[in-house]
RNA sequence: GCCGGAGUGGCGAAAUUGGUAUACGCACCAGACUCAAAAUCUGGCGAGGUCAAACUCAUGUCGGUUCGAGUCCGACCUCCGGCACCA
């Protein structure tokens, strides 16, 4: 053991040791209970940033903790290695995306090893290798067989900057998830996966995880799926056999409908206009709305515009004829693309009605305890001038024929049933989520395994022909067309069905396909006859703890839930939810130079911190310790150079403490001595066992910052013992040994290298994992010998008394009342009562 | 606009079921060691008040419940995040 703490030597030594002994390899046949700890799959950009470091430090702390507790821990790593940056490098610098990616993997693997993250490298996977993407294609075929993968032409999100299509999830908020550019709409033929078939389950199954996933992620998913209960209602077109179906969540307001409003893209418009005098105007209007929509990026809501098409519809409840309009505020994507307009009870309809002076008819009144006021309000036939804005609450129905007097809540159910019974509608549930568009006009992705044959049409590649391999070279023009389209050897093929000439699909799959199921592959990473063996998946999954940023709340985390449900439906797994517990860690920020702003580290802001530089300057152990100590894991973490120095200081103090004692410890018995121990030794043992209890319980909630604080307190207590190793009694030595060994075991999840080094120097050979085990708290030893009981007078702290742990309530009461300081406060007052909380405090209430 | 989350020292943050507010660290101040500095060690560190103490005031604001509120209830303010015509 060196006298001084040299992190560089220690870290190299133990990283080699772990590698040579394959310390972190998880065995499939290990009989101990498993724990699957996973951090989100990284993209191999070539360099780690501090956000990664934080992510892996958290995961590794948990993995170590569980290992020391005796679990068989699976902690794997791999590469989300398809995707945009490699392709950009190819376009801009002419490099081969495969070479570029492989080089980056080598660089990053080195960084992980220098950080000392305890991965099972034998299970490493990479999405861009044919052994992996073969199974992306296999899953695609399984979905295609079941009608869950389909192709259609539709307006899709187009990123003008990256020249490719994005899914709805990737263009949430109208901007590209990667580059932030405003997305446009384009009509393209695209492959979709029917995630909408699973919409109900995606909401319903949240019940299984609602206590173990962050509420903000669940909320965003709930909003994204956008389940809404309501009813379809058919409005007959007057003097025609056509019908317009609308969706409403407020069927109780239907007597207030003063128009039916269609989206400009509604398919029925053409038919309705066949004989209309207004045909040209309406068509011109619809075209204008469409072009505005296509051009619209993130801009604010447009002013509502519409046009009356001069055809009437019949309200099936009231029999009333009302005009049909086309307007820009009705979305074709949602519901039926048509709505009933109820200005009195919907803000948007209200605004629209005001602009075009449509009637506003009130049919819901606020429920008042004063029945007369309802009756009074209800007598006002036309209240348009009386309503400053729409009344959107539930209430009581008025001016609604036989339904008047009903409560909204009841009417919603009864009116939908009535519509069903009379054949003009039904109760219905709609969802906001759309199918997942997975086609990408890219080279660097898994090719969609489809062949187009002039004779046979769309033909799936037979399973035996998988993988459809990417060619080695392609021309990267950045034109927006898939580079694969220019590779004749790839495109031209023969039809698997008829053997005739045929062409391959040239789009590749969204990289989120790769990451939707990768953690199952870790269970069986070299399987070449199936994506994974279901038995091995059963052995390891679902993931016990998943850790990553919340930026994937409605991308990766919703896709992977969908994928898992599909895998369940084809018999590969037997559960509904892939992730038992989810932690979304906070961002790592740094001050932007010359400002007071803290922002996520980035190259463009110049506030990035290079993990390798931190390791070189302070050591991986200190860097990791600081990121876990400085803030709760889910909070923003503000980077601080002086903070990391504090972490080094702590590790050095631990090291020095061991240096002081290790010789004496190696010459002393490790059993507790029979002799009476000193007060200092008893205090140290008490602190040791209190710390073990606190650390163990804090680990369960991943309160890592307070664990580090507790370890620091324990070290401070060790310093307070103030015993000389040369002359200390056997009792003191035993207390020191117990404290140090416990401290080291509990430090291992945070700073494993120095923990290993110390463990060895405390006389344990073979490394922490083989001989170590998590320390056990002894509640007897943790108990205080004497209590300091605060005494309050009227709720204000006035004094403290010392008492034994066995003190009775009556004794405490007497001690409080006789306390000198307390007496000064109660003199001249009447003691009304004395509240004694056993073991905690006394409050004397005086008047 | 709607929906979430959060407001505690100079800073990051602690605080079982309501029960000693500010643990731990950073920064800062003083002392020891040193020719000196760094490192290290020791002590101090919410505000006011005092030689020192007593004491008073402090967990965004105002009110409420309670013997007792950072914690529970109500109203409001501010900040951050998400969604944004979803019928």
């Amino acid at each position: 053991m060196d006298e001084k703490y040299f992190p560089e030597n220690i870290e190299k030594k133990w990283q080699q040791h772990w590698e040579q002994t394959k310390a972190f390899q998880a065995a499939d046949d290990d009989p101990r209970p498993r724990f699957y700890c996973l951090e989100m799959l990284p993209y191999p950009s070539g360099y780690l940033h501090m956000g990664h470091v934080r992510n892996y430090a958290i995961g590794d702390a948990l993995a170590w903790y569980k290992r020391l507790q005796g679990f068989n821990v699976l902690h794997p790593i791999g590469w989300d290695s398809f995707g945009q940056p490699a392709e950009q490098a190819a376009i801009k610098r002419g490099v081969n995306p495969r070479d570029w990616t492989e080089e980056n993997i080598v660089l990053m693997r080195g960084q992980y090893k220098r950080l000392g993250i305890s991965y099972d490298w034998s299970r490493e996977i990479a999405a861009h290798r044919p052994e992996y993407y073969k199974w992306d294609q296999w899953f695609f075929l399984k979905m295609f067989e079941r009608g869950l993968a389909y192709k259609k032409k539709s307006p899709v999100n187009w990123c003008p900057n990256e020249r490719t299509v994005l899914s709805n999830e990737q263009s949430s908020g109208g901007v590209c998830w990667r580059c932030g550019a405003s997305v446009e709409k384009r009509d393209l033929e695209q492959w979709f996966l029917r995630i909408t078939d699973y919409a109900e389950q995606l909401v319903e199954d949240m019940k299984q995880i609602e206590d173990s996933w962050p509420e903000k992620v669940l909320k965003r998913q709930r909003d994204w799926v956008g389940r809404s209960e309501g009813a379809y209602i058919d409005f007959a077109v007057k003097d025609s056999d056509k019908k317009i179906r609308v969706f409403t969540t407020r069927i109780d307001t239907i007597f207030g409908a003063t128009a039916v409003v269609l989206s400009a893209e509604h398919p029925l418009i053409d038919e309705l206009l066949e004989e209309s005098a207004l045909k040209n105007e309406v068509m011109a209007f619809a075209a204008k709305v469409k072009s505005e929509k296509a051009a619209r990026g993130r801009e604010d809501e447009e002013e509502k515009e519409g046009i009356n098409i001069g055809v009437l519809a019949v309200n099936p409840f009231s029999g009333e004829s009302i005009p049909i309009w086309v307007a820009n505020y009705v979305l074709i994507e949602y519901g039926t693309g048509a709505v009933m307009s109820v200005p009195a009870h919907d803000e948007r309809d209200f605004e629209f009605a005001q602009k075009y002076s449509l009637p506003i008819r009130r049919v819901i009144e606020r429920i008042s305890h004063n029945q007369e006021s309802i009756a009074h309000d209800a007598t006002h036939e036309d209240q348009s001038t009386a309503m400053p804005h729409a009344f959107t609450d539930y209430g009581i129905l008025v001016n609604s024929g036989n339904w008047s007097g009903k409560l909204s809540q009841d009417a919603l159910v009864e009116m939908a049933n009535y519509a069903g019974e009379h054949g003009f509608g039904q109760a219905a549930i709609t969802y906001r989520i759309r199918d997942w568009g997975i086609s990408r006009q890219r080279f660097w992705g898994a090719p969609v395994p489809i062949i187009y044959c002039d004779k046979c049409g769309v033909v799936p590649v037979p399973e035996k022909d998988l993988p459809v391999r990417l060619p080695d070279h392609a021309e990267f023009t950045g034109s927006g067309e898939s580079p694969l389209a220019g590779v004749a050897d790839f495109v031209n093929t023969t039809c698997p069905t008829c053997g005739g000439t045929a062409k391959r699909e040239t789009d590749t799959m969204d990289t989120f396909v790769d990451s939707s199921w990768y953690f199952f592959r870790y269970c069986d990473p070299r399987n070449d006859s199936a994506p994974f063996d279901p038995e091995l998946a059963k052995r390891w999954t679902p993931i016990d703890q998943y850790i990553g940023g919340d930026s994937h709340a409605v991308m990766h985390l919703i896709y992977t839930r969908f994928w898992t449900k599909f895998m369940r439906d084809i018999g590969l797994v037997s559960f509904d939810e892939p992730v038992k517990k989810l932690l979304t860690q906070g961002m790592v920020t740094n001050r932007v130079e010359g400002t007071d702003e803290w922002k996520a580290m980035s190259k463009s802001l110049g506030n990035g911190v290079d993990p390798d530089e931190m390791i070189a300057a302070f050591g991986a152990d200190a860097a990791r310790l600081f990121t876990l100590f400085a803030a709760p894991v889910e909070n923003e973490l503000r980077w601080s150079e002086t903070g990391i120095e504090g972490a080094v200081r702590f590790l050095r103090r631990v090291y020095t403490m061991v240096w002081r004692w290790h010789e004496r410890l190696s010459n002393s018995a490790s059993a507790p001595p029979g002799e009476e121990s000193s007060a200092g030794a008893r205090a140290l043992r008490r602190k040791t066992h209190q710390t073990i209890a606190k650390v163990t319980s804090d680990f369960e909630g991943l309160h890592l910052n307070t664990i580090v604080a507790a370890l620091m307190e324990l070290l401070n207590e060790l310093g307070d013992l103030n015993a000389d190793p040369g002359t200390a009694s056997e009792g003191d030595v035993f207390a020191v040994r117990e404290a140090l060994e416990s401290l080291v075991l509990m430090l291992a999840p945070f700073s494993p290298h120095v923990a290993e080094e110390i463990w060895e120097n405390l006389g344990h050979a073979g490394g922490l994992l083989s001989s170590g085990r998590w320390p056990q708290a002894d509640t007897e030893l943790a108990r205080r010998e004497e209590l300091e009981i605060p005494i309050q007078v009227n709720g204000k702290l006035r004094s403290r008394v010392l008492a034994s742990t066995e003190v009775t309530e009556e004794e405490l009461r007497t001690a409080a009342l006789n306390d000198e300081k307390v007496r000064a406060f109660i003199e001249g007052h009447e003691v009304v009562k004395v509240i004694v909380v056993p073991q905690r405090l006394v409050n004397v209430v005086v008047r």
Side-chain angles (χ1 to χ4, degrees), chain A residues 312 453 582 702 734 760:
Chain A
L312 296 176
C453 169
L582 174 69
L702 286 174
F734 179 79
E760 185 179 72

Side-chain angles (χ1 to χ4, degrees), chain A residues 568-824:
Chain A
R568 175 204 60 201
D569 290 348
I570 60 172
L572 283 173
V573 302
S574 56
F575 45 78
D576 303 317
E577 290 294 333
V579 176
K580 278 198 199 163
K581 278 180 80 178
L582 174 69
L583 171 73
T584 50
Q585 104 243 7
M587 277 192 314
V588 181
T589 62
N590 198 5
R591 195 187 290 275
V592 180
E593 197 155 351
T595 73
D596 264 347
E597 285 182 296
W598 292 83
K599 293 203 167 145
M601 291 182 180
S602 80
K603 268 187 185 164
S604 57
L605 289 173
N607 65 341
V609 171
D610 177 6
D612 273 331
E613 283 177 26
M614 291 301 116
I615 293 170
F618 305 105
D621 280 338
R624 293 173 54 170
L625 183 71
F626 171 70
T627 65
L628 299 176
F629 171 60
V633 287
E634 63 278 2
N635 281 23
E636 174 189 338
L637 171 68
R638 296 185 165 193
W639 191 255
S640 151
E641 197 99 338
T642 55
I644 191 170
E645 283 167 13
V648 179
R649 204 141 47 215
F650 169 68
L651 292 177
R652 198 181 289 137
R653 291 208 299 138
V654 174
Y655 190 92
T656 307
M657 184 68 73
V658 174
W659 171 254
R660 275 186 67 213
W661 284 93
H662 83 287
E663 232 177 273
R664 174 67 196 270
L665 288 174
S666 63
N667 296 324
S668 298
S670 56
E675 66 184 89
E676 188 70 16
S677 56
S678 69
R682 287 202 305 277
L684 180 55
R685 296 201 68 191
R686 186 182 312 129
K687 188 70 178 180
T688 300
H689 286 275
Q690 285 172 347
T691 305
I692 294 167
K694 176 173 173 57
V695 169
T696 307
S697 86
D698 276 359
F699 251 117
E700 298 305 320
L702 286 174
H703 304 302
L704 304 184
N705 56 323
T706 52
I707 293 179
V708 178
L711 297 180
M712 289 172 168
E713 285 188 55
L714 179 56
L715 180 68
N716 292 343
E717 186 79 28
L718 260 159
D720 290 346
L721 179 66
N722 210 8
D724 177 8
T727 57
S729 69
E730 283 296 296
D732 285 359
V733 173
F734 179 79
V736 168
R737 177 195 301 283
E738 181 181 55
L740 279 176
E741 290 192 345
S742 303
L743 178 60
V744 168
L745 285 165
M746 292 188 287
L747 182 63
F750 300 84
S751 301
H753 310 85
V754 67
E756 287 274 25
E757 180 72 11
I758 292 173
W759 186 249
E760 185 179 72
N761 285 299
L762 289 173
H764 303 285
L768 272 165
L769 287 175
S770 54
S771 61
R773 71 277 137 204
W774 196 248
Q776 292 293 313
D778 182 327
T779 48
E780 274 308 305
L781 288 166
R783 182 172 300 160
R784 305 191 66 88
E785 293 168 3
E786 212 171 31
L787 299 169
E788 192 184 46
I789 304 289
I791 312 295
Q792 298 178 335
V793 178
N794 283 354
K796 287 197 170 166
L797 179 70
R798 296 303 183 187
S799 185
R800 299 166 214 269
V801 296
L802 289 174
S804 85
T805 51
E806 278 93 39
V807 70
T808 65
E809 285 192 33
E810 193 49 41
E811 284 166 349
L812 261 185
R813 179 192 163 93
T814 312
L817 290 172
N818 289 331
D819 183 83
E820 207 178 310
K821 289 188 205 141
V822 171
R823 273 161 64 184

Side-chain angles (χ1 to χ4, degrees), chain A residues 305-480:
Chain A
E305 284 182 27
I307 186 167
N308 185 332
I309 69 169
V311 180
L312 296 176
V314 179
N315 183 331
F317 273 87
S318 66
E320 185 182 10
S321 293
I322 55 178
I324 300 172
W325 287 65
V326 172
N328 63 347
Y329 75 97
V330 178
L331 305 173
I332 190 66
E333 302 90 356
Y334 186 75
T336 61
V339 301
M340 64 178 197
S341 176
V342 185
H345 303 293
D346 181 280
E347 292 288 357
R348 296 152 301 181
D349 295 340
F350 185 85
E351 192 188 326
F352 189 68
Q354 288 217 310
K355 174 158 179 174
Y356 293 100
S357 303
L358 301 175
I360 296 173
R361 189 186 307 145
R362 181 156 192 162
V363 292
I364 304 288
E365 283 293 344
R366 188 181 298 285
I367 298 166
S368 160
H369 295 296
N370 182 347
Q371 288 300 315
E372 279 174 52
S373 83
I374 291 176
H376 176 75
D377 279 4
T379 55
H380 284 74
E381 253 308 305
D382 179 5
Q383 300 191 4
S384 55
T385 51
M387 292 182 77
H389 49 76
F391 175 76
T392 57
D393 293 350
Y394 285 165
I396 188 160
L397 277 64
V398 296
N399 294 323
S400 296
N402 293 336
W403 304 88
S404 294
K406 291 228 178 250
L407 294 175
S408 291
Q409 291 90 327
D410 299 331
L412 287 171
V413 176
E414 293 169 23
M415 291 173 94
N417 288 342
Y418 180 87
E421 285 156 17
H422 291 77
F424 58 79
Q426 69 196 72
I429 295 167
T430 61
Y431 302 90
R432 201 185 87 120
I433 192 171
R434 305 267 71 92
D435 279 337
W436 175 12
I438 58 156
S439 296
R440 295 292 179 272
Q441 293 67 48
R442 293 267 178 78
F443 171 81
W444 198 231
V448 174
I450 287 290
I451 289 168
Y452 301 105
C453 169
D454 285 341
K455 238 166 74 192
C456 312
V458 177
V459 182
V461 173
E463 238 178 273
K464 65 173 174 53
D465 294 343
L466 295 183
V468 176
R469 283 175 182 270
L470 279 178
D472 288 332
H473 297 284
E475 202 162 329
F476 295 93
T477 59
S479 68

Side-chain angles (χ1 to χ4, degrees), chain A residues 80 82 136 165-167 169-170 177-178 436-440 442 444-446 448 507-516 559:
Chain A
D80 188 15
F82 269 141
D136 289 336
V165 164
L166 300 171
S167 70
E169 287 78 7
Q170 289 157 356
W177 71 288
R178 200 181 300 98
W436 175 12
I438 58 156
S439 296
R440 295 292 179 272
R442 293 267 178 78
W444 198 231
V448 174
D507 282 352
T508 54
M509 290 186 230
D510 186 357
T511 58
F512 280 88
V513 168
D514 312 326
S515 55
S516 289
Y559 296 142

